[in-house]
Amino acid sequence: MECCRRATPGTLLLFLAFLLLSSRTARSEEDPDGLWDAWGPWSECSRTCGGGASYSLRRCLSSKSCEGRNIRYRTCSNVDCPPEAGDFRAQQCSAHNDVKHHGQFYEWLPVSNDPDNPCSLKCQAKGTALVVELAPKVLDGTRCYTESLDMCISGLCQIVGCDHQLGSTVKEDNCGVCNGDGSTCRLVRGQYKSQLSATKCKTHRDGPLDLFIYPRLA
């Protein structure tokens, strides 16, 4: 008895028709008027670690303008970089160290947390007060602010939640759990007294203490 049979021409036609219908159905869910082509494949990630961005494009099939975006983004490479990798914004500033600025070489350091334009590459010449915008846009995946997951994409600061999703407003609770309810640790309030080691000048300071106690893992 044969273990398999060759597909007939009719079966192949039905299979191709199914694929075409599936593609149109997927496209119609987002574009009911059929003016857009299907979304293309995702690009390579802009970073290999530390959180980057990838994009996908689609083509307008109408002779008129199509409503909506022709590009979409998603996060990628959401794993911590090794310590020796250094700061991503700092890497972009140092890339200009071998380029003369007004006839002189400088060692450039990153200027972070710019409230007016967090996604421009502003750098400061080491040992001077000189601050220069070396590029209008940082590379995709650069953090907008040092203490935030929000990232710059195409020169704009995009919100990123603790779940590493674009547009997500999910945050960590006081216990450090993403979208948690604060039930995995308890808060202990009291007084603390700090003291330096015996090899240094001993000083004491009293003050309030907020200490989060985490349950011990088995």
Side-chain angles (χ1 to χ4, degrees):
M1 184 173 61
E2 295 184 358
C3 63
C4 57
R5 290 179 298 175
R6 180 177 297 178
T8 63
T11 303
L12 290 175
L13 288 175
L14 287 174
F15 179 68
L16 292 174
F18 171 75
L19 290 178
L20 180 61
L21 180 61
S22 299
S23 174
R24 289 179 176 176
T25 301
R27 186 164 56 216
S28 65
E29 291 176 355
E30 192 171 338
D31 179 31
D33 297 326
L35 300 179
W36 288 101
D37 196 0
W39 286 104
W42 289 100
S43 69
E44 291 187 7
C45 194
S46 61
R47 300 184 64 183
T48 57
C49 62
S54 177
Y55 66 87
S56 173
L57 299 171
R58 63 176 177 173
R59 188 166 50 100
C60 180
L61 300 177
S62 173
S63 58
K64 302 177 181 179
S65 60
C66 295
E67 293 184 6
R69 302 173 302 154
N70 71 331
I71 186 170
R72 60 179 178 174
Y73 295 94
R74 68 178 181 183
T75 61
C76 47
S77 298
N78 293 308
V79 293
D80 292 336
C81 291
E84 62 271 17
D87 178 73
F88 192 41
R89 191 182 289 265
Q91 293 174 17
Q92 296 171 62
C93 285
S94 63
H96 293 263
N97 289 350
D98 57 353
V99 179
K100 285 186 176 181
H101 177 72
H102 294 308
Q104 187 173 346
F105 290 109
Y106 293 96
E107 182 179 347
W108 297 104
L109 303 175
V111 176
S112 303
N113 303 321
D114 183 356
D116 297 322
N117 192 358
C119 291
S120 66
L121 184 63
K122 289 185 179 179
C123 309
Q124 182 174 358
K126 186 177 181 179
T128 75
L130 177 64
V131 175
V132 178
E133 184 183 275
L134 296 179
K137 300 177 183 179
V138 291
L139 297 179
D140 287 352
T142 306
R143 298 283 176 85
C144 305
Y145 307 100
T146 53
E147 300 300 325
S148 171
L149 291 175
D150 297 347
M151 69 171 59
C152 296
I153 298 179
S154 192
L156 298 176
C157 184
Q158 303 287 345
I159 295 175
V160 179
C162 62
D163 55 357
H164 298 287
Q165 298 300 312
L166 284 177
S168 170
T169 57
V170 176
K171 299 183 181 298
E172 290 184 352
D173 64 10
N174 289 330
C175 302
V177 178
C178 184
N179 203 25
D181 58 4
S183 62
T184 57
C185 64
R186 59 190 177 89
L187 176 64
V188 176
R189 295 185 182 275
Q191 296 289 318
Y192 74 88
K193 181 177 291 186
S194 61
Q195 180 174 331
L196 297 178
S197 65
T199 59
K200 300 180 181 179
C201 297
K202 293 182 179 180
T203 59
H204 298 271
R205 187 178 68 175
D206 297 333
L209 170 67
D210 284 354
L211 178 64
F212 288 99
I213 307 297
Y214 296 87
R216 205 169 181 182
L217 296 178

